[in-house]
Amino acid sequence: MSATMVAGHLPIETLLAWWLHETDAADTDAVDEHLLRCDACGETLDALVGLADGVRAAFKAGLVGAIASGDFIARLASRGHRVREYRLPCNGGVDCTVAPDDELLVAHLETPLQDVDRLDAVVTLSFAPDVQHRLEDVPFDAQAGEVLWLPKFDLIRNAPAHTAEVTLLSVDADAAHELGRYTFRHQPWPGG
Ligand SMILES: [Zn+2]
């Protein structure tokens, strides 16, 4: 972890780590000091803190990533943050990677959401196929017709080639039924 500046501002990864109390003492001081004088990074932090508690818990849980709103992504991009985006049709897959200067990875998972009351997501990773990570009651915008998925970024950045599968489930009192299944075929950045 290093509080290296990108274009004079704090990388999202650093802000996230600071917010989750994962920065060391030196980085914590550097972030504290930067936030005192930089409104732009303060607003980015507000956007992060504005995410639901469930999202924060998901980030802490490590592997599973988080789900965010379109507003949040648009605000980050409008401030010049480098956001890599992939769009997956329902039951689709994508070859994906992370460039060295990317700050955030966002996948748009297209799915019909009009009749969904509660949405869960189940994640499996090819290097631990027997482990299912389940996110319960994840936030979504029924009108958007898509779920915004943020993989755990610093983990993905350092990951070897692997496949991740995300299954979206509509859950009601009686049962859960599958809305869509999405496959990410990840390759490390060449030479990175
Ligand atoms: Zn700043």
Side-chain angles (χ1 to χ4, degrees):
M1 185 78 257
S2 158
T4 323
M5 303 288 163
V6 173
H9 290 296
L10 298 166
I12 294 169
E13 208 177 333
T14 303
L15 270 175
L16 266 178
W18 176 88
W19 179 48
L20 296 172
H21 308 294
E22 287 174 357
T23 44
D24 62 25
D27 280 352
T28 300
D29 287 349
V31 172
D32 286 347
E33 199 270 333
H34 185 90
L35 286 173
L36 279 177
R37 59 185 167 74
C38 180
D39 289 343
C41 285
E43 286 177 28
T44 300
L45 179 66
D46 287 346
L48 291 172
V49 173
L51 296 170
D53 283 347
V55 172
R56 178 178 172 137
F59 268 115
K60 273 189 176 291
L63 290 172
V64 293
I67 292 174
S69 75
D71 277 358
F72 170 63
I73 303 305
R75 286 165 71 186
L76 293 179
S78 74
R79 292 212 186 84
H81 287 290
R82 291 177 188 276
V83 180
R84 176 176 294 267
E85 296 184 79
Y86 292 104
R87 186 169 296 277
L88 286 77
C90 199
N91 296 314
V94 69
D95 297 318
C96 55
T97 190
V98 177
D101 57 356
D102 287 342
E103 292 183 73
L104 201 66
L105 192 58
V106 181
H108 300 254
L109 310 179
E110 296 179 355
T111 191
L113 292 162
Q114 292 87 350
D115 301 320
V116 177
D117 181 33
R118 184 184 120 183
L119 184 72
D120 286 8
V122 174
V123 187
T124 57
L125 301 159
S126 57
F127 46 75
D130 297 334
V131 184
Q132 289 197 334
H133 307 274
R134 186 163 182 144
L135 279 154
E136 295 185 345
D137 203 7
V138 299
F140 65 93
D141 172 1
Q143 303 308 313
E146 65 174 23
V147 173
L148 294 177
W149 179 261
L150 281 67
K152 176 81 172 174
F153 187 73
D154 50 356
L155 190 123
I156 293 271
R157 189 199 284 284
N158 298 311
H162 71 279
T163 300
E165 191 171 76
V166 178
T167 304
L168 296 178
L169 300 169
S170 172
V171 181
D172 61 30
D174 303 318
H177 72 270
E178 190 172 314
L179 291 170
R181 194 174 283 238
Y182 308 84
T183 306
F184 298 87
R185 295 173 296 266
H186 178 80
Q187 290 289 339
W189 189 255

